[in-house]
Structures are given as structure tokens and as C-alpha cells.
Amino acid sequence: MGIGASLPRLEDERYLRGRSQFVGDIAFPGMLHAAFLRSPHAHARVISIKKPEGAENRVFVAEDLSGVARIRSVAKLPGFRGSDWPTLAKGKARHVGEAVAMALAASPAEAEDLTAATVVEYEPLAPVVTMAQALAPDAPLVHEQWPDNVLLDSKLESGDFEAAKRAAKHVVTREFRMNRQTPFTLEGRGCLAHYDGRLDELVFYCSHQLPVPLQIGLSQTLGISQRRLRVIAPDVGGSFGLKSYLEGEAVCVAWASLKLGRPVRWIRDRHEALICDASCRDYRCKVTAYADAEGKVLALDCEVIVDAGAYSPWPWPAGLEGMMALGNMQGPYDIRAFRGRGINVVTNKPAGQPFRGVARPISCVGHEMVMDALAWELGKDPAEVRRLNLVKPEQMPYTSVTRKQLDSGDYPRALRRALELIDSDGVLARQRRGEPDGRLIGVGIACFYEQTAYGTGPYGYSSWGIELVPGLEPAVARLTGDGELVLEVGSHSHGQGHETVYAQIANEVLGIDPHRVAVRHGDTYTSPVGTGTYSSRSMVTVGGAVDQACRLLKRPIAQIGAHLLQCRIEDVAIKGGAVVGPAGSVSFAEIGRAWYHHPENLPDGVDAAGLTAIAGHKPHDPGVFGYSTHAAVVAVDRDTGKVEILDYAIVTDCGRRVNPLLVEGQIVGGFANGIGNALYEESSYDENGQPLATTLADYTAPSAPCIPDVKLDFFEIPTPFAPYGIKGVGESGAIGPPSAIISAVNDALRPLGAAIYETPVTPRRVYAAIEAARAR
Amino acid sequence: MKPAKFDYLRPRDLAEAVRALAAGGEDARLLAGGQSLGPMLNLRVVAPSLLVDLSRLAELGEISERGDSAVLGAGVTHAQIEDGALSNATVGLAQRVASGIAYRPVRNRGTVGGSLAHADPCGDWAPVMMALGAELDIRGAHGTRRLAASQLIAAPLMTTLARDEAIVSIQVPMLGGKARWGHVKFCRKPGDFAESLAVVVIDAARDAARVVLASRTGVPAHLFATEQCLRSRGKAGGDAWSAIAAAIEQDVEEHALRGHWSGYDRSLHRATLTRAVKEALI
Amino acid sequence: MTTIAITVNGETMRAEVEPRLSLADFLREQCRLTGTHLGCEHGVCGACTVLVNDRTVRSCITLAVAVDGAAVRTVEGYDGDPLMALIRRCFNECHALQCGYCTPGMLAVAYDVVRRLPQADRARIKAELGGNLCRCTGYLGAVNAIARAAEIWSAGSERVGAFLAARDRR
């Protein structure tokens, strides 16, 4: 049941019996419910707000929020412009759905009645809706104090770019548009604040993946000390990056609870979420590959434009997406010269926020679309061109042109295996034969790495110049009086299965049955100060801390055990949840009893700190690098434009797998997110900046029939830089699908001379691409 | 996302329902299964003053066959049809249609009458009832009347029903045992409203061939050239594919909504029509 | 306000409610049965699916007043039910849930599918699950779980008993 076991999750029981507790499930007597009145305009001055008569003390506007600071997001990057994000719109609203007023009532319905009765006079302004509009010389300004709408314009150059360019025999350029999406967690955001008079603290329940950063952020905006803020992230219904920023509504709810001395709850409903939750994946990119006669890429030149929306979130500022997209654009390939530019613009749309995969899906599309283009230009097999360029196992560890330190693995083998799984030769034969129904068949490939669990240093978070540099993770391990184990951690589990995998680590070290291990997380009152769950890092960093804490705990356990067994500590071993000596063994329960009930019998020299250990993990600064190859087979219907995935294979190396069942869950879950990205999901806007996908009837999230059965395989090549050789894997599945599916669709469309470089690949876009080729 | 306030009435019978509707004024509405109205209430895109709940009225639940017609109460749910009601009368067409409407939990409450009265341009039942040549029995505060299914929808989300009228039942002519049909619904993902929905019913015994197309714009409509072509083919027999394809082309190119359609829409409708005809013929 | 009486998990719950109160909010806020989740409140995501008179229903777009007198079963109401015990085991072993938010609705649909379509193949199971959105799992775990539960359930009560007993011993 230790590392490597496909142990079914220990936390499932409460979800399967309806005993889980999400923030909306928590209620306090006398609780008020909040609702927010939101701007119907993308860009407008707020002229006046008239509260409903008789409810003036139940409706609050920006001026009412005494003592509340704006949310300020900063980064010490050259040229970075921070934005102030008002908790409630002040002066003007910068996107549809920006909160303008908060109403409180005895029920959500009555609170909505109050917002409906509040009258706001607006003066609409010209909105900035597209990236092109944002960059136009005479563009309206989203933030008046800025000279333009550019939040960050960063450049990255490495290697002898000009020389490589001169040496090239082939040059291919492709441009791509990845349209805006929304993260769409099934549970919306929400929070509940109540003041605990006994402890003089505000208890803040919140659906969030970073409880400690949230505590810091609330403390800064509310102006109350951190010790008076207890943040609890209970069960959280999915996050994927969404629930990592500090939102104005949360600050308003906390403020209202303090002001009125009553519990206040707010649950963001789906309609609101689709209108004004932070969005993701809004990129344009242009990539040029310079290659020699064989197709070996000598240099890459790329430009990425990111639509960051109206505001920069806290703690992770906008601008990181553009930098990450550039930093990973060379992918798993051995390319020695690089030039890139990343422009992050602001528009009158909701803020952008990292979503599972963060920028890597566009990087992956970037390097893979030029690999395909090169292959087609050279008349070579796209797999062959990739093989020629992939970093070879004998080159590991390999420092990329963008300073990524690829640590381990066999990239060409992953490619080979993925092609085997889809029987690429068989598919090619089928392609040549043609389909009886006239559909076109295509094969697509995506090779990529995933940088996971990076550290605090110059290769990690501090390179972003952000105010809150995360990275280190502690864990507490405590043996109870009856011989069971409690692990307290600062990561948050909202689907990842930490309550199982950390227990498996404990089993690996102490031999204790995972069913006798409790993992506690998500409560700043009881958890050690870690930074939460993000960047595919928890298994490496918090897993590493749990491993260390359990190892530390071995010493007092062995000391007490040796005493009870009347032998020397050198002669005992910890096995199967017991201390085993030359002439017998004692269980952890006996150890616990000896320490907690009868310490008077223990010898001098027993550590007085007892059966509690705290340890931490400092991740390898450049991170550890998992990688994957995705291979897709699609059929394209020329008449309807519909794309069907006929076959799909994913080969992944995430090092040692702590729980293969859960690793598969992460891959398949990410895969489904990737299919949404590739084929279905789009947050579109009209020319006035009005969102067009405001219900799930318009925002097409993939459902079960959209997800094909997928073939999975794994390599377990350990990284030297993490405990047990583990590499992170949380986002990997979501990175490849847009790229692999685009590659396959374009392979299918080649006989028609058509190609599509935009996601989602909707039937309409496929048809338009075919028509455009026909017109040429 | 909670509805605005409204009053609620659960009438004892249909007579009371239509009286209440008449007395309830401009903003009174009928509630059947609520699977379309429910979301609209929650989103506050409608804010009725009064909801008259028809969902318990036994007189709307009839399922029977009378001579050459089947009678389907307006309150029959999609799930009942999925499970076989009307299967015999339509040689399986109704079952196929019902099982493709949204999802089982929606089908368990959503009703045929409610769906027809909601008049979504791409609702599932209106084009099918048109292709079956069905008629609706309507009851209002001032009496009853019968209406051809093809006369029901006036415009998207708007019917020709008076404010105090309700659909009581649908009379569906029984298809002959050798009748053939085709039904092709194109949507982004299963369970969505269709972007294009083509229904073909060919009943040689009645000398009937009906072809109906529904799309996201306008109202569902018969395609007369294709119908004509299929009828004459029924008599002549033999291979007339090119003639059918030409008729479909003509219907698409001369369609009243053509001005609202993009090149993609035309290609899509051509495809669903062609596939529905093929399904009916092969 | 309207007075209603709904039998929830075998117990009659009487309450004065506003007509605009949904069945989901009635269950969650008035009965404090919070296992039924709200994911969209417009009938698309399926998280709120419960059984009403033994049929799956979206509780977010069903008014509480409209099901006055009905029998409702929520995720909290399956104690001692062998089919649900089997489905829960299969969900656990096939890793059919991650964040768990969609799970109550998935379970209600799984319960319906195994009883109504015990012979359903994978494509049919996917189609039946089409109205239950999940963002974490990619669905394949739930499809596997339902297929497995249906297979064991179809083999009869002895097989179900043996399967559950083997798991309980572990």
C-alpha cells in the first residue's frame, strides 16, 4: 500500500455518501446572504447608484467599504504595469460583470431582489474588446493612468540567433489563435465569513486552492493582522488554477461580516461565473522555425500576445502567461538559438488567470505546428522530423536555450510508443484507402515536457519578480496515543487525492496502514504554513515534506520501542506499523500509549518533543521535468465540419508513480480539459464586449460522449532531483490535446489544401477552412 | 440565480387552469414539466406574476390509439415516449426522437405539450409532429379547437396559441407498417439543441412523404420540392438519387430562411437532409 | 407562501415555502441535506440530480411546490441499499470521482442506468452520463464504474453479496 500501489482513494467515502462539506453546505444561525449587482457594460463610467428605498443599510457600494484597500498586483519585471483591482467598481467598470454593489438579505433570492431594485446610471465608454483594438495607436485606455494598454512586453533572446537564421535552408512560419476559455469548476467560487468573538478572529471559509496566500491577501486588503484571520478551504469542487486569486467579492463578504457582526455567505452562481470569473487561454502566437536541409531546427522566432483582460490578479500577476509561453516554446527539442517576444495586453474583459496547463498548451501548439509545417515542406514524415529534433536521452541533463533544465527521460521512445499505440502504420494505410462515408482521416502528434514542482530561486518563482514567492513546503507528522498517524500539510486537495497519496508515503516510511492515517489540510489554524496546491507540485514538494517528517518521527518511535523491548535502539527496525526488535515487537499503539499515558516510565534522553515531527521540502529550483507524447487519429466530416476522435494515445513519464490509479485519473481528467480546449470551449464576446457564452447551454463543456476511450502508457524514469524520483503530473494531460488534435485535423485536411490554426476547432471553423482552400 | 417572486396555482382540472390563465393577466404562464421554463425563471429572463401548474392534470396524460390516429396527451413526458408510448404509431420514430432530447432526468419531467408550446426554433417535437402530419387539440377559456402542427409556431419562442389557451393533446396519424422515416439531428454535443434537424417520413400506404427542417433561426418548415420528389419516387420506384439530391439542393437554395444562413448552414442543412432521406430510403 | 409535504428519504418533511423555492434549495436549506449540489441552476450540469418518485430529476429547475406529495431520494438516502453499495464500491475502485462535487448527481444517474439499462455498452453509458458534467475525471472512471456495477448487478444478488463481502473484509 506504499509507493506504487493503486490504492483506491481513502477520501472517497464522504463524497459517495453526501457527507462532504463544500462552502455552500456550511451555514450559521443568523447568516446573511450576499448578491452582487454587476455592470452590464464592458466599459462605462458609473455616474450614480440609487439604493432601493428602505434597504439603504443592506446595499453597499465602493464608498461604503471604509478601510478596505484595493487589490494591488505587482511584479518586479522591467516594464510591468500593476493594476489596482477595486473590490467594488469605483468610478468606472472595466468589464461586463464587474461588481458594482453588494446586497445582503436573509436568502439569496431576497438579496437578488435587492440588487434588481438598485438603479445604476452609467455612461458607456468605447470598449477595448480584441487584442488588435488594445494595441491600436488610438485605442481607448482600459486604465487611464497608463500610456497604452500594454501590461507587459517581454523579450527573450538566447544563442546566436542571427547566425542560425543565416545558416537555415528552410523557413516555416505559422500563426495560431487560441480563443478565450473559462476554467469552469463544477462548484463555483464562494465564501462564508463569520466573526468569532471568543478568539477575536474572522473565520473565513472559502472555496480556494491557496488558503495561506488568501489569508495574507485578506489581511492586506482588510487591514487586520494575520493572526486574526483563520482561513478554511473545506472541500473544494475543482479549481485548476481558478480559485487561486483574491477576488473583490470575497473581500466585500469578509468586510460585511466584520462590519455587521453577522455571518455572511456568498456563492457565485454559474451565470455569474461564466460572465465574470477570471478567464484563461486567450492567446495569439506566431512561430517561425529556421531549419537545415534535413529539417533540424536551428532557431525559433516567436511572438505571443496574451489578452489579460481588465485586471491583474493577486497573488499571481498577469504577464506570467506570456513569459511562460515563451519560456517553453522550444519544447522538448534540441534548438540552440531563440528569439521571442511576449506581449500582454489589457482589454475590457474579465481578468485572465492560469488554468491547468498554464501557457504550455499554446507553447505546445507553437512548437508542434512548425514541426508539422517543416515535415510537409520537406515531404517527410512528421514523426521523423520530431525524432530528428528531440533531445536524446544521452543528452540528459540538458539545458535548453530558454534555460529549462530537462533532467531525465527518453523523449524519442515516448514518441515511438505513442505511434505504436495508435497503430500509425495501419492508420496511414486506412488514410490511403479512404473512408466509405467520405470522411477524411488524419494523424496528429504532440510531444512536450511539463516543468513541475519548481523552486523559489532564479529558475523558479523569484524569476517572475512577484510579491509572494512560493515554493517551500512543511509537513507535520504526529503519532496519536492509539498509534495512528495524523499528517498536517499546507497543500490543498480538491480532487488530487492527497489524503491517499500522503498516507502512502507514510506507509512507505513507517509501514503504517494508510487507512490509519488522517491527512489534514486547508485550515490555516491547523495546517503548517505551506502555500497551497498549484503548478503540479504537491506530490513532489509536500510529498517530500511528509516523507521527511515521517523519517524524523522514526527516531522517537524507535527510542520508545527500544525501551519497551529492552534492547538497544540500533537493534530495532520500524516495520508494518510496529517496532521490531531481536526478541519481539511493539505496535505503534503501544508506543503511543507509552508516550502519552506513562512518560514517567520512559528513560532519560527520550526527546521531550514527543511523537510529533515537522519537516519541510525545498524543491529543486529548476523543477523536475515530466514529459509526454500524445497521438491522435481523427475523422473530419467535410459537409458538417464535425471532428471525431477515432483513437488517442498518451505516453507519459512522471517518474515514479506513487499511485498509478490516481496518475491515470490526472491524465484522463487533463485530457478531457484538453479536448474542451481543442474542440468545444470558447468564451466569445460581441463587438461591444458582451459575453456570448453566459450559460452552460452556450458554453460547451465536453460531456462523457465527447471523451473517447484513451490508450495510456507510462515510463517510470526517475528524476534525480526529487524524493523517490517523482515528477509532477497534474497538468500534463491538458497540455497536449489542442496540439495533437490540430495536427491531426490538418493532416486530414491536407488533400484539400486546407488547414486550421485556431481553437476550438468548431464545425464552422473546419468548414470555413475548407471553403477558404476551395476559393484559392 | 433564484427566480423573482411569483404566485402559484395547481388547478384541479384544465378548465380551472385556462380560467386562471385568462384571469391572471398578461404575466400569467403555464408550467408543465418546467424544463425550459425553470432555467428561464432562475435566470430571471422571465418573471411571471402567476404560474399555473399543469403537471398533475390526469386529463393531459392520455396515451391511446383510436382508429387511424394515436392520441398523445400534452402532459406525456419525453421519457414515456422513449420507453415506448407512440412507438407503434410512429414505427419507432417517436422513440428515437424522445431518446435524443437533452438527458434522461430532463426527459423524466419535460412534456411533449410543454416542448411544443415553448416553440424553440430547434425544439425536437415540432418538426417531427409536422412530418407526421399531426394535429393539436387546443383548449382555451372560450372553447376548444384543432390546429395542424405546422400551424403552431409563429416565430421563435412564439406560438399561435391565444394567451388563455393550452395544448390538451396531439393527434398523430398512425403510420402504415411499411412506413419509413429518417431523423438526423446535428449538434455540437449529444443532448444539445440541434443546429440542424431534418425529419423525413414516407408512408406509401397514405401516399405521404413529408420532409421538415428545423434550424436555429426561424421556424421549422416543410421542404416541398423534396417531398414532391419522394412522393413521385414512391410511385415510380427505382433509382432517383440525383433527382432527390437536386430537390434537396433546390429546397435549401430557395428556403425562406436562406438569407439568414451562412455557407456553412447551407452545407449543414444539405447534409442532415440528405442523411435523413437516406436513412428513410435505405 | 405555500405549505408542502415532501417525503425525503422516507421521512415526511412539511414546510411553508415560497413558490419560487427550487426542490434543490428545499433539500439543501430547509432539510439541511447538502449532499445534493448545485452546479449550474439551469438544468445542464446534472450535479443536482435526485430521484423523484423513483425517476431521476433535476432538482435545480424543479419547483418544490411542483413536487408536493412526492417521494424524493437524495444521496443521503441509500442506507442499506445493495445496488447503491455496489455502485459506490465501483466508483471508488474505478477512481470515478476527484473533487466529488458532481458525484451525487452521477450516483443518481448510475443507479438509474444500472436498473433501467443493465445491458448498456460503453457508448450507451456515456450517452446516459451525457447530462452530468464533470471537470476533474474525464468521465472514463465513471463509465468503467457503471459498466462494472451493471455487470455484477446483472449476475444476481449472490454475486453482488460476494463482491461487497470481499471488499468489506479488506
Side-chain angles (χ1 to χ4, degrees):
Chain A
M1 286 188 283
I3 292 177
S6 280
L7 183 67
R9 294 202 320 175
L10 306 175
E11 53 264 71
D12 281 358
E13 199 65 9
R14 67 176 182 272
Y15 300 108
L16 290 167
R17 293 187 180 276
R19 290 200 294 252
S20 52
Q21 201 176 50
F22 297 88
V23 64
D25 303 338
I26 302 167
F28 286 91
M31 184 170 77
L32 293 170
H33 296 263
F36 288 87
L37 177 64
R38 298 181 179 284
S39 169
H41 301 287
H43 198 188
R45 259 176 234 301
V46 179
I47 305 298
S48 67
I49 303 175
K50 190 171 179 300
K51 298 177 183 180
E53 226 165 279
E56 288 83 357
N57 61 348
R58 284 286 176 265
V59 176
F60 304 88
V61 299
E63 286 69 26
D64 297 322
L65 301 181
S66 51
V68 174
R70 291 181 173 208
I71 298 166
R72 173 160 294 183
S73 159
V74 293
K76 287 183 213 118
L77 295 169
F80 178 88
R81 296 198 184 105
S83 68
D84 281 345
W85 193 341
T87 42
L88 289 173
K90 209 165 188 177
K92 78 176 190 177
R94 291 183 178 83
H95 62 83
V96 172
E98 181 162 354
V100 174
M102 169 177 65
L104 300 177
S107 73
E110 290 162 275
E112 287 178 38
D113 293 345
L114 285 178
T115 59
T118 303
V119 181
V120 184
E121 189 190 342
Y122 296 94
E123 179 198 336
L125 303 169
V128 179
V129 182
T130 65
M131 296 175 194
Q133 284 171 359
L135 290 168
D138 54 349
L141 295 175
V142 175
H143 298 280
E144 289 89 346
Q145 67 278 25
W146 295 10
D148 54 31
N149 292 312
V150 177
L151 183 134
L152 177 67
D153 184 350
S154 54
K155 294 190 177 72
L156 182 63
E157 186 161 344
S158 179
D160 193 342
F161 182 81
E162 289 302 328
K165 189 175 162 180
R166 277 193 302 276
K169 293 283 182 288
H170 296 280
V171 182
V172 292
T173 299
R174 290 292 183 274
E175 291 184 50
F176 197 90
R177 173 76 171 111
M178 188 172 278
N179 284 294
R180 180 171 274 240
Q181 280 181 242
T182 182
F184 172 36
T185 56
L186 209 63
E187 179 212 23
R189 305 183 65 131
C191 56
L192 190 174
H194 87 93
Y195 176 71
D196 183 326
R198 182 177 67 86
L199 298 170
D200 183 28
E201 66 182 16
L202 186 73
V203 184
F204 193 74
Y205 294 86
C206 190
S207 186
H208 211 273
Q209 67 186 70
L210 316 174
V212 167
L214 176 61
Q215 181 192 33
I216 295 170
L218 279 174
S219 157
Q220 289 176 358
T221 42
L222 293 169
I224 66 173
S225 61
Q226 290 179 24
R227 70 170 172 81
R228 293 183 57 217
L229 263 166
R230 175 182 180 186
V231 170
I232 300 173
D235 282 323
V236 169
S239 187
F240 315 109
L242 172 70
K243 296 168 181 174
S244 61
Y245 67 97
L246 174 63
E247 60 187 342
E249 290 93 335
V251 177
C252 290
V253 166
W255 174 86
S257 178
L258 282 170
K259 161 114 181 150
L260 304 176
R262 288 178 69 174
V264 179
R265 190 173 84 188
W266 171 65
I267 303 299
R268 175 173 288 203
D269 65 47
R270 183 57 50 200
H271 189 52
E272 286 181 300
L274 289 169
I275 291 170
C276 54
D277 254 350
S279 305
C280 56
R281 301 265 200 280
D282 198 346
Y283 319 106
R284 278 183 187 284
C285 94
K286 180 177 178 181
V287 185
T288 300
Y290 297 89
D292 70 11
E294 297 302 306
K296 178 88 177 67
V297 178
L298 306 174
L300 270 191
D301 187 359
C302 58
E303 181 180 277
V304 179
I305 309 178
V306 183
D307 181 341
Y311 297 107
S312 178
W314 189 94
W316 294 332
L320 304 185
E321 293 251 352
M323 289 179 62
M324 275 182 82
L326 288 188
N328 295 293
M329 193 62 84
Q330 89 297 336
Y333 300 110
D334 178 24
I335 300 170
R336 299 318 311 168
F338 183 88
R339 192 169 72 185
R341 182 177 179 193
I343 306 168
N344 299 269
V345 300
V346 288
T347 60
N348 291 116
K349 288 188 280 193
Q353 172 73 17
F355 171 63
R356 194 179 204 173
V358 202
R360 272 79 54 95
I362 192 67
S363 303
C364 184
V365 163
H367 52 71
E368 295 302 278
M369 70 180 175
V370 291
M371 288 294 159
D372 281 339
L374 263 180
W376 297 332
E377 175 158 323
L378 291 161
K380 284 191 167 185
D381 174 2
E384 181 52 40
V385 172
R386 285 173 172 83
R387 258 192 298 275
L388 183 67
N389 285 288
L390 282 171
V391 173
K392 309 288 179 293
E394 56 273 19
Q395 290 175 282
M396 298 285 181
Y398 173 93
T399 301
S400 82
V401 70
T402 54
R403 297 209 307 169
K404 303 292 176 194
Q405 299 190 8
L406 313 182
D407 52 29
S408 56
D410 189 340
Y411 298 176
R413 191 175 135 219
L415 170 60
R416 202 160 59 237
R417 180 69 184 127
L419 293 172
E420 264 169 38
L421 286 172
I422 60 161
D423 180 23
S424 60
D425 293 340
V427 179
L428 288 177
R430 177 176 171 182
Q431 208 173 17
R432 279 192 294 271
R433 279 197 306 274
E435 293 294 291
D437 61 6
R439 291 192 298 175
L440 299 163
I441 303 284
V443 180
I445 308 168
C447 303
F448 61 92
Y449 65 72
E450 187 198 358
Q451 182 186 14
T452 69
Y454 28 110
T456 55
Y459 292 96
Y461 288 102
S462 65
S463 65
W464 296 347
I466 52 183
E467 188 205 357
L468 194 74
V469 174
L472 311 182
E473 284 296 331
V476 173
R478 181 159 44 83
L479 199 73
T480 61
D482 51 2
E484 299 198 328
L485 188 71
V486 177
L487 298 172
E488 294 162 1
V489 295
S491 57
H492 187 275
S493 185
H494 37 276
Q496 294 84 350
H498 292 172
E499 294 171 38
T500 304
V501 289
Y502 297 160
Q504 286 181 265
I505 298 273
N507 170 275
E508 190 73 18
V509 179
L510 298 171
I512 189 168
D513 182 340
H515 296 89
R516 305 186 68 192
V517 179
V519 174
R520 294 285 173 256
H521 60 87
D523 183 343
T524 58
Y525 202 92
T526 56
S527 306
V529 182
T531 54
T533 293
Y534 51 93
S535 299
S536 302
R537 66 193 286 276
S538 299
M539 196 64 254
V540 172
T541 54
V542 182
V546 166
D547 177 61
Q548 279 306 313
C550 289
R551 283 175 198 278
L552 282 183
L553 200 55
K554 285 172 96 166
R555 171 112 193 125
I557 290 175
Q559 270 185 334
I560 297 168
H563 170 71
L564 295 178
L565 290 166
Q566 293 297 304
C567 65
R568 293 182 313 159
I569 190 166
E570 294 76 23
D571 296 334
V572 300
I574 294 174
K575 272 189 225 156
V579 180
V580 183
S585 71
V586 284
S587 68
F588 281 4
E590 290 168 274
I591 305 277
R593 205 171 309 119
W595 172 261
Y596 290 99
H597 293 221
H598 293 292
E600 75 277 13
N601 296 336
L602 297 176
D604 290 345
V606 161
D607 186 347
L611 294 170
T612 299
I614 180 162
H617 182 78
K618 183 177 194 300
H620 183 56
D621 188 33
V624 289
F625 286 75
Y627 60 92
S628 200
T629 296
H630 289 212
V633 184
V634 303
V636 179
D637 183 327
R638 271 180 273 202
D639 301 319
T640 65
K642 188 153 190 152
V643 173
E644 185 193 351
I645 301 171
L646 300 177
D647 200 5
Y648 203 100
I650 301 177
V651 178
T652 304
D653 178 359
C654 55
R656 187 105 178 264
R657 285 176 297 163
V658 175
N659 184 323
L661 180 68
L662 270 56
V663 169
E664 286 188 14
Q666 289 299 307
I667 296 287
V668 175
F671 170 56
N673 295 153
I675 288 180
N677 190 173
L679 296 175
Y680 295 102
E681 295 178 44
E682 182 170 1
S683 301
S684 47
Y685 289 79
D686 73 6
E687 67 277 11
N688 297 315
Q690 292 291 333
L692 299 175
T694 63
T695 71
L696 290 180
D698 316 308
Y699 189 81
T700 316
S703 56
C706 305
I707 309 302
D709 292 336
V710 56
K711 296 166 178 164
L712 303 179
D713 199 7
F714 295 90
F715 303 158
E716 293 202 351
I717 301 173
T719 171
F721 300 117
Y724 303 104
I726 298 164
K727 308 169 191 171
V729 73
E731 297 165 271
S732 176
I735 296 171
S739 183
I741 290 168
I742 276 283
S743 171
V745 168
N746 284 341
D747 185 45
L749 294 178
R750 278 180 74 211
L752 307 180
I756 179 166
Y757 292 100
E758 185 168 8
T759 53
V761 183
T762 60
R764 270 170 211 279
R765 289 194 174 112
V766 172
Y767 182 82
I770 294 172
E771 282 300 288
R774 205 174 284 163
R776 274 199 294 272
Chain B
M1 234 174 69
K2 313 293 180 189
K5 281 185 186 168
F6 52 79
D7 290 327
Y8 172 83
L9 174 76
R10 193 189 305 145
R12 278 179 304 276
D13 54 29
L14 198 56
E16 186 188 352
V18 292
R19 270 201 312 276
L21 204 52
E26 201 65 14
D27 296 327
R29 286 191 72 138
L30 293 176
L31 170 70
Q35 302 300 286
S36 297
L37 190 56
M40 294 164 78
L41 288 170
N42 284 357
L43 288 159
R44 297 197 181 197
V45 295
V46 292
S49 54
L50 169 70
L51 279 190
V52 180
D53 183 355
L54 302 179
S55 64
R56 309 285 184 92
L57 296 182
E59 57 200 299
L60 298 182
E62 181 179 356
I63 304 169
S64 64
E65 292 179 6
R66 292 186 205 150
D68 58 358
S69 273
V71 181
L72 191 68
V76 173
T77 64
H78 311 312
Q80 284 175 281
I81 300 172
E82 178 185 19
D83 294 343
L86 212 61
S87 201
N88 178 49
T90 64
V91 206
L93 171 59
Q95 197 165 12
R96 155 85 74 84
V97 174
S99 60
I101 298 174
Y103 314 100
R104 183 74 183 186
V106 171
R107 301 197 285 271
N108 277 331
R109 281 195 70 77
T111 66
V112 186
S115 168
L116 287 168
H118 181 59
D120 190 285
C122 226
D124 286 87
W125 284 119
V128 173
M129 291 306 174
M130 287 166 67
L132 287 166
E135 294 183 307
L136 315 178
D137 279 335
I138 312 287
R139 175 156 186 178
H142 304 290
T144 60
R145 65 184 176 117
R146 189 167 276 198
L147 181 71
S150 55
Q151 300 299 308
L152 175 70
I153 302 183
L157 304 177
M158 192 186 290
T159 64
T160 56
L161 298 179
R163 214 169 33 72
D164 62 3
E165 284 184 325
I167 303 171
V168 182
S169 62
I170 302 115
Q171 312 286 323
V172 182
M174 304 274 288
L175 290 181
K178 289 185 178 160
R180 308 294 305 260
W181 53 263
H183 176 260
V184 174
K185 179 178 177 181
F186 183 87
C187 36
R188 289 284 301 284
K189 61 175 189 179
D192 276 4
F193 273 103
E195 289 187 41
S196 177
L197 200 170
V199 194
V200 176
V201 174
I202 304 171
D203 191 355
R206 288 172 180 255
D207 190 24
R210 294 195 198 85
V211 180
V212 180
L213 177 73
S215 70
R216 290 275 171 99
T217 41
V219 299
H222 286 277
L223 300 191
F224 296 111
T226 311
E227 288 184 347
Q228 178 61 42
C229 184
L230 289 173
R231 261 195 298 275
S232 47
R233 182 188 178 278
K235 287 193 186 107
D239 181 21
W241 253 116
S242 57
I244 294 170
I248 290 173
E249 191 62 28
Q250 185 189 340
D251 275 328
V252 170
E253 291 306 319
E254 292 175 2
H255 199 280
L257 293 168
R258 193 183 178 285
H260 298 277
W261 289 347
S262 64
Y264 172 72
D265 293 324
R266 292 202 298 281
S267 174
L268 179 63
H269 298 324
R270 215 181 281 126
T272 54
L273 280 165
T274 304
R275 290 166 197 188
V277 171
K278 279 188 180 164
E279 187 187 10
L281 291 180
I282 295 165
Chain C
M1 299 292 257
T2 307
T3 305
I4 57 169
I6 298 177
T7 304
V8 181
N9 301 331
E11 195 183 331
T12 304
M13 310 293 286
R14 265 171 234 287
E16 284 255 302
V17 300
E18 280 192 307
R20 63 172 162 174
L21 186 75
S22 70
L23 173 59
D25 281 335
F26 173 75
L27 294 168
R28 290 177 50 78
E29 306 296 341
Q30 310 240 346
C31 307
R32 292 302 302 154
L33 290 169
T34 56
T36 297
H37 296 157
L38 289 170
C40 74
E41 295 182 272
H42 47 257
V44 181
C45 82
C48 69
T49 308
V50 297
L51 297 189
V52 175
N53 296 335
D54 223 24
R55 286 173 169 270
T56 53
V57 161
R58 302 282 206 237
S59 63
C60 75
I61 52 170
T62 300
L63 296 173
V65 287
V67 292
D68 179 18
V72 175
R73 198 170 193 188
T74 71
V75 67
E76 293 95 340
Y78 290 91
D79 286 351
D81 184 299
L83 174 55
M84 188 52 90
L86 171 66
I87 291 171
R88 283 173 171 150
R89 278 292 186 200
C90 293
F91 265 58
N92 176 237
E93 293 188 0
C94 298
H95 193 24
L97 60 147
Q98 290 184 24
C99 83
Y101 199 77
C102 70
T103 306
M106 288 263 182
L107 290 174
V109 168
Y111 192 80
D112 176 54
V113 171
V114 174
R115 289 189 306 169
R116 190 164 51 86
L117 305 162
Q119 307 302 321
D121 61 11
R122 290 180 70 79
R124 183 67 194 265
I125 293 171
K126 284 185 185 180
E128 293 294 325
L129 272 182
N132 290 71
L133 296 179
C134 166
R135 279 305 251 187
C136 302
T137 66
Y139 305 104
L140 300 182
V143 176
N144 295 341
I146 294 171
R148 191 164 183 185
E151 184 217 317
I152 294 169
W153 188 250
S154 302
S157 57
E158 223 166 89
R159 171 94 196 276
V160 175
F163 176 85
L164 292 175
R167 266 62 185 181
D168 287 341
R169 273 196 301 277
R170 271 191 211 160

